[in-house]
Amino acid sequence: MNVEKAWTILKDHSFKRTKNREAILHYLAQQDGYTAAMDVSEFLKRENPGLSYDTVYRNLATFADLGILEETDLHGERQFRMHCDPGVHHHHFICTVCGRTKHIPSCPMDLLAVELPGVEIEGHKFEVYGKCPSCK
Ligand SMILES: [Zn+2]
Ligand SMILES: [Zn+2]
Ligand SMILES: [Zn+2]
């Protein structure tokens, strides 16, 4: 997902191109992994002191609903990152210190499905947490 693709999705859902939304998307596009809503808000406030945490948080939640962002829960906080390009199914390793992610190309669902006979599986979530090589 890049900023232009995000705007295509937002326009399809009648969201206006505002400076705040633009700033949030650009900031997340530069990050290498998950960032807490509070960190996004703190960073953007440096340039725009009038921007409230609520505005940032609401926009992040909207972007996640629209599939522009992926979200996870780390240290009891909602964290966001630009959505990986869809198409290739994969999972993430997430560093609990810096939030950086690493792709896991294989999926454990194939193994688990065997243990759920007669069930129609609609979706699943799988994340691995730990410390990345630079945070160890
Ligand atoms: Zn990914
Ligand atoms: Zn790390
Ligand atoms: Zn999977």
Side-chain angles (χ1 to χ4, degrees):
M1 180 69 60
N2 59 40
V3 175
E4 277 320 303
K5 219 156 134 192
W7 277 119
T8 310
I9 296 170
L10 285 165
K11 276 188 202 134
D12 283 349
H13 291 82
S14 313
F15 284 95
K16 283 209 195 77
R17 190 160 189 149
T18 65
K19 226 175 65 199
N20 289 340
R21 290 188 179 129
E22 187 81 19
I24 294 169
L25 289 172
H26 272 281
Y27 178 69
L28 286 171
Q30 284 161 18
Q31 305 306 307
D32 198 9
Y34 280 98
T35 310
M38 189 52 95
D39 293 334
V40 179
S41 157
E42 289 301 314
F43 179 84
L44 296 177
K45 265 187 193 163
R46 281 186 233 157
E47 297 242 311
N48 183 356
L51 186 61
S52 74
Y53 173 71
D54 280 356
T55 304
V56 173
Y57 190 84
R58 235 178 312 126
N59 276 302
L60 289 170
T62 304
F63 296 166
D65 284 346
L66 295 174
I68 292 167
L69 303 180
E70 292 188 53
E71 66 170 299
T72 190
D73 212 77
L74 270 187
H75 317 299
E77 263 188 292
R78 270 174 104 179
Q79 314 242 348
F80 300 87
R81 55 163 284 147
M82 286 302 247
H83 212 293
C84 292
D85 282 321
V88 185
H89 183 80
H90 65 273
H91 293 278
H92 286 155
F93 164 85
I94 303 167
C95 177
T96 55
V97 181
C98 69
R100 272 198 208 110
T101 52
K102 195 177 158 23
H103 282 193
I104 306 166
S106 49
C107 173
M109 198 59 229
D110 305 338
L111 296 171
L112 297 175
V114 177
E115 296 178 37
L116 295 164
V119 160
E120 187 187 319
I121 295 161
E122 294 178 336
H124 64 276
K125 282 184 175 176
F126 181 74
E127 289 177 334
V128 182
Y129 307 100
K131 293 189 179 76
C132 77
S134 28
C135 293
K136 254 194 326 201

